[in-house]
Amino acid sequence: MKTINRRSFCAGAAILGGSFALAGCSGTASKQADEEKPKGEIIETDIAVIGSGLAGEACALAAAQNGAKVVLVEKSPTLGISFQTSKGNVSIYQGVENEEFWQFVSETTDTMDEFLARFKKATETGKVDVPYPDYDRVKALMQASCETVNWVEKTGIDFIQSFTKEKVGTDTVWPDTSADASKAAGQLITEKMTAALEDAGVEILLEHEATELVTEDDKVTGVVLQSNGKTKTVAAKATVLACGGFGGSVDYLNELVPSVEKIGFQYLGNAMNTGDGITMGKAVGAALYDNCWVIPFNVMPSRKLTEVDPSFATLVDMSMSTKPLEGGGVASKMLVDAQGKRFVNEAGPGILLASSMADHDVAPYYALFDSTNAEACEILEKGISTGDVIKADTIDDLASAMGAVALAETFASYQAFAEGSVEDEYGKSVEKAVAYGEGPYYLVSYVPSYVATMGGLKTDSDCRVVDDAGNAIEGLWAIGEITHRFMYNRSFVRHCSNSVGLSMGRLTGEAIAENLA
């Protein structure tokens, strides 16, 4: 038995289930050998699942329900930590071919061609020349979506309609929390899934960090864990990496999506998603996705501003955790680059604003405020000392203070547009614009926020991790955020990540268990 040490490496450096094989694959696990060392307590199991987000929980539960012995490993103190504050929306595809699993009766029956057309349209926002989405995989996973939701409902959750395809592009459901309105939908799902995992006999290891993949004869045979200074080895016939993305790792962000740190994107996701699975996968020869990106949420005041006063987080058009201040976002305002020029439709989706900021590459970016909103001004005054809020009595003075010669001309053009005199060159509707009032005026540093990453380990249609030649690495699978890059070009399709995570997990767990039986 040999191991690849994650820390040492860092220092140096169709429908699922159709073709699973636990032996005889053309695996290419690294032949790099670590010197033998004690591995502490040995835990033997059929399947080790690393990470307890939606994908990991679904995989562990489905595998256990199909007769496999499962160990679920989570490095945080609780299961499902990334999802507990979520609204729990899950995209579904309701076509004639899966009518037995429909969640609600739609006014118009969907077809896969129509669904894919809407999906493709959504992915055009900020599109770049990459070979994603993989529409065969999108089709397969969404085809399974209603059956997956039915399966989750057996844990005791009642999903109800939240959005229609006419409104957001996909039919969408979310958990009914009416019995306890104080409980977030994500928390309800986590609680029910946790109870189901325990009932199914899954061994749950909290506060255990996976640090090494174990290999033997070019096959992944388990994983080494660290917890409270102690080492354990889970010896497994199959190891499934479901340990999230790399949004919490500055090193990986600089390597894979350098614009995030350059512009100062704010990360609203799980800080413990530090790319551990990517590092362990690379160490055994896994291929990585190129052209990584993030899943943007909104644009918001800079990190300096939200740190000096959390109320800056209310100056947004939509929020995950705080109530936005009415009129405090950028949709009705002017968003400018470091030269004082507009570059985007400020009322567009967060995905558009984030990709435009990255592609335009003239940071820092600022939203212009006047003094008509007293509550906003009270917040803005608290940020002047940081340097990320610039204040002046007139636009000309503001342009001088900012060093942006184009600001005055940009302001005059925007005023003419907001007052209905001209059309907007960026396609913004005049109904979305509000003409500026009296000063003093404030330029406020704004950055994109993001909730997850797109990138990580490449997998085949059965979620087996592959090497650079496309060969499956025997004994190793990856599901969820660590591998869902194939679902998107650069634009996040609302609620599909939850759906895909659940279906990837369910189908992968079922398939591995069936092949072990």
Side-chain angles (χ1 to χ4, degrees), residues 319-349:
S319 174
M320 291 180 65
S321 56
T322 58
K323 184 178 180 181
L325 176 64
E326 185 175 354
V330 302
S332 63
K333 296 181 177 62
M334 203 171 83
L335 191 65
V336 299
D337 61 22
Q339 299 172 349
K341 297 179 180 179
R342 289 179 65 219
F343 58 95
V344 70
N345 175 357
E346 297 89 347

Side-chain angles (χ1 to χ4, degrees), residues 75-113:
K75 73 175 180 179
S76 73
T78 61
L79 294 182
I81 189 170
S82 299
F83 192 69
Q84 291 207 27
T85 59
S86 169
K87 296 184 183 298
N89 284 299
V90 180
S91 291
I92 56 175
Y93 163 70
Q94 296 193 130
V96 172
E97 62 271 37
N98 67 354
E99 188 170 3
E100 63 180 303
F101 299 114
W102 282 10
Q103 302 303 305
F104 59 88
V105 177
S106 181
E107 291 184 8
T108 56
T109 301
D110 212 353
T111 70
M112 184 57 74
D113 286 345

Side-chain angles (χ1 to χ4, degrees), residues 4-11 13 210-213 241 243 246 249 252 255 274-286 288 456-457 482:
I4 304 296
N5 184 287
R6 181 171 70 84
R7 294 189 176 91
S8 297
F9 183 87
C10 284
T211 58
E212 311 170 41
L213 290 174
L241 299 176
C243 34
F246 54 90
S249 168
Y252 269 129
E255 175 187 348
T274 51
D276 301 352
I278 298 173
T279 304
M280 290 188 287
K282 284 199 300 184
V284 297
L288 300 186
L457 305 183
I482 191 175

Side-chain angles (χ1 to χ4, degrees), residues 204-222:
I204 298 172
L205 300 178
L206 298 176
E207 297 183 276
H208 283 70
E209 181 181 4
T211 58
E212 311 170 41
L213 290 174
V214 181
T215 64
E216 186 173 358
D217 297 328
D218 291 337
K219 174 182 178 180
V220 174
T221 57

Side-chain angles (χ1 to χ4, degrees), residues 80-203:
I81 189 170
S82 299
F83 192 69
Q84 291 207 27
T85 59
S86 169
K87 296 184 183 298
N89 284 299
V90 180
S91 291
I92 56 175
Y93 163 70
Q94 296 193 130
V96 172
E97 62 271 37
N98 67 354
E99 188 170 3
E100 63 180 303
F101 299 114
W102 282 10
Q103 302 303 305
F104 59 88
V105 177
S106 181
E107 291 184 8
T108 56
T109 301
D110 212 353
T111 70
M112 184 57 74
D113 286 345
E114 290 169 345
F115 167 79
L116 288 176
R118 296 192 307 272
F119 193 97
K120 289 178 180 178
K121 182 178 179 181
T123 63
E124 294 294 316
T125 302
K127 183 179 180 179
V128 291
D129 186 19
V130 296
Y132 317 121
D134 180 338
Y135 289 107
D136 288 337
R137 295 186 73 175
V138 171
K139 179 179 177 180
L141 288 164
M142 293 308 298
Q143 177 66 57
S145 59
C146 282
E147 184 175 359
T148 295
V149 171
N150 274 9
W151 173 75
V152 175
E153 284 187 321
K154 294 176 183 177
T155 66
I157 301 169
D158 182 23
F159 282 88
I160 57 177
Q161 181 180 0
S162 51
F163 301 107
T164 65
K165 56 184 174 291
E166 290 79 14
K167 184 171 183 179
V168 300
T170 62
D171 284 329
T172 310
V173 294
W174 59 359
D176 182 2
T177 58
S178 57
D180 185 357
S182 66
K183 186 172 295 185
Q187 183 183 358
L188 175 63
I189 291 179
T190 300
E191 288 179 359
K192 295 295 185 182
M193 289 291 282
T194 299
L197 288 163
E198 292 171 347
D199 290 344
V202 174
E203 183 175 356

